[in-house]
Each structure stands twice: as C-alpha cells, then as structure tokens.
Amino acid sequence: MFRKRHLISIRDFTREEMEAVLRRAEELERHARPDLMRGRILANLFFEPSTRTRLSFETAMKRLGGEVLNLDSEEASSMAKGETLSDTVRVIGGYADAIVLRHSREGAARMAAEVSGVPVINAGDGAGQHPTQTLLDLYTIRRESHLEGLRIAMVGDLKYGRTVHSLAYALALYGARIYPVAPEGLALPADLQEDLRHSGARLQPVKSLQEALRKADVLYVTRIQKERFPDPQEYRRVAGSYRITLDLLRRAPKGLVILHPLPRVDEIDPRVDGTPYARYFRQAYYGVPVRMAVLSLLLPRRGKGEA
Ligand code: NCD
C-alpha cells in the first residue's frame, strides 16, 4: 500500500495513501512502539528556522526507539565553505537512514531526493510544499472536526504559505469547499488555483473574513511569510491587516474549529486561546503521532533474513 521512497509533495499522494498515514498515526497515538525505529538514525537538516517540525520529528523518532542527528544551519556546516546541498545530502545519506530537509529554495527537497541514497522528507521548501504539516492538518481536522463535506476558510498569506499550498491540494481530494481570504497581493497564485480546480478543489470566493467565518467549519489561519517578501516595504503594507479576535468570534458558528500551523505573530489574539474554538496547540501536538506514522511507513522494519 505505502510504497513511497521519498516524501516530497502532497501531490504525490492518493487519498488512500493519506488515509493509510492517518490510520497508522491513530494506532501509534494509542500505543507507542519503541521497537519500530530501534537501531535507525534520522538526520534533521534544517536550513531555515523551525521549532515544531524539527522537534516533533525528533520526538517521533525517539519515541519509536531511534536516534537523531541535527544540522541546524548552513553556517555551522561545510556549506559555509562552499559545499553544495547535493554533496551534503549524499554524504549524510551515508550516515543516516532517512533525511528530513527544510530549505528556503523551492524544489530543494526534490533535488535532494535525486541524489540521496536514503528517503528524503520535505519539511518545507521555500513557498513550495510542506507535506507532513498537511498530514497532521488532516489528522487534526478529522479528530477535531470532520473531513467529509468540509468547509474551510484559509486565511492569510495564501501566496507564499507552503502549508496552505499543500493542504489545499490534499483537501481537493476530499472535495472540500475552500473559502480563500487573503490581504491584497497575497492571494493564491493563479496557476495554483488552476491546478487545484483541475484536481477537484471547490474554491469559493467570499467577500470578507466575516462571511468566511459564518460559512466555515474550520478556520485555517496563517502567518504572513515575512521572509519570502522580496521587498520589506511590501511586507509592512500588509502586516497586521487581519486578526482573529474575541469580538470577531462573537458571531462564529458553535462548532467552529480554529487551526494555525504556528508560529503566530499577531494574527490570532492570545485571548482566543482560552475559547473552545482554539485547537492550534492540539494541532501542534498531533505532529508527533503523524510523524511517527510517516517514519514507520517510510522505514518499515526489515523482515527476517533481509539485509
Ligand atoms: C510553517 C512553515 O514553516 O511553513 N510552520 C510549521 O512548520 N508549522 C508555517 C510558518 O512558518 O508560518
């Protein structure tokens, strides 16, 4: 069923394959399996900042009995001496059983997969994709709301937000209705919209955040991706242009679930954290069982007699 060699884009997945990950995550959330990764080593290569993704991969690997190597920046590695990413990946593939890579360049993970002797997991490539975040988002939506017939408002930086890009593709396979809400200049790129429609996504324009809020089961809020703006002036123009507050939520439907891949800056008022709508910290927690599932499916235990 799960024959992936690498995990680069959520678009490489069928709905059945995503379901297989979610099922495995549920099993592993219920029963830890400290035997599954015994003797295995995972290399975390993070060339962009990360808290949740890096540490939840590390937690997942350790909970399954494995070990983790960490490389945190180009400055701390031989890349500072001019070594290419491709050589770095080739070498680390000789030390570790799998590589988790985060990089600012779109396509970096795909390139790494081409030269790596071991599975590569894309932990974010520029504004491209972030497939394991999507799997944990799907898991969260299933656990905290529902995936079938989902109506979801995607709010914030839809242009540069890789979590939105991956999630929208996955939700297309579930026939979800998507209400995009973005500040001017940060809408979903036209080619992506086109691709999404081809994949079956139902993108439905809304006039305001309030309208999206009234219609949605899930509000998926994102941070403006400051680091992707070619011009800091442009960032300042849109910074702080939307914010989820208690006041805004006064007319929210009762079962509304608010998600955010985190980190948040100012797009959700911390006073929202105490409401029943806020599920973003649970969402971050679900990163562990989902990444345990990903690791166990990409690195199945060797059968008896295999090398
Ligand atoms: C996201 C990312 O890196 O794309 N963070 C994460 O992995 N949870 C979202 C973001 O940085 O805004």
Side-chain angles (χ1 to χ4, degrees), residues 14 102 119 256:
T14 62
R102 172 169 288 187
L256 178 76

Side-chain angles (χ1 to χ4, degrees), residues 65-76:
E67 312 245 6
V68 182
L69 310 174
N70 277 293
L71 191 57
D72 288 337
S73 68
E74 297 193 17
E75 296 73 50

Side-chain angles (χ1 to χ4, degrees), residues 21-176:
V21 179
L22 304 190
R23 272 198 307 278
R24 176 64 68 92
E26 224 163 281
E27 283 162 31
L28 290 170
E29 192 185 349
R30 255 181 279 128
H31 306 287
R33 289 286 306 275
D35 54 316
L36 285 182
M37 290 293 127
R38 195 170 295 142
R40 300 285 181 90
I41 297 174
L42 179 71
N44 266 339
L45 266 56
F46 278 74
F47 301 121
E48 271 197 333
S50 171
T51 300
R52 276 150 290 274
T53 307
R54 186 164 71 79
L55 293 185
S56 64
F57 261 114
E58 183 154 355
T59 306
M61 191 63 182
K62 289 181 169 169
R63 289 217 185 279
L64 296 175
E67 312 245 6
V68 182
L69 310 174
N70 277 293
L71 191 57
D72 288 337
S73 68
E74 297 193 17
E75 296 73 50
S77 76
S78 281
M79 288 172 79
K81 300 180 189 169
E83 187 165 48
T84 60
L85 176 64
S86 144
D87 282 2
T88 306
V89 164
R90 251 180 244 247
V91 169
I92 293 174
Y95 304 156
D97 297 286
I99 293 175
V100 179
L101 175 69
R102 172 169 288 187
H103 200 280
S104 59
R105 197 156 15 93
E106 214 170 310
R110 179 87 59 203
M111 185 282 283
E114 274 162 26
V115 297
S116 170
V118 300
V120 172
I121 302 172
N122 182 7
D125 60 325
Q129 285 263 324
H130 193 350
T132 62
Q133 178 70 42
T134 295
L135 292 165
L136 82 88
D137 291 342
L138 294 177
Y139 190 73
T140 309
I141 294 170
R142 171 158 292 163
R143 293 290 295 268
E144 305 293 318
S145 182
H146 53 90
L147 269 171
E148 299 304 325
L150 178 72
R151 292 168 304 170
I152 183 168
M154 293 186 150
V155 181
D157 187 345
L158 311 185
K159 179 178 183 185
Y160 295 117
R162 55 196 175 199
T163 66
V164 166
H165 299 164
S166 294
L167 182 58
Y169 278 114
L171 289 177
L173 302 184
Y174 285 88

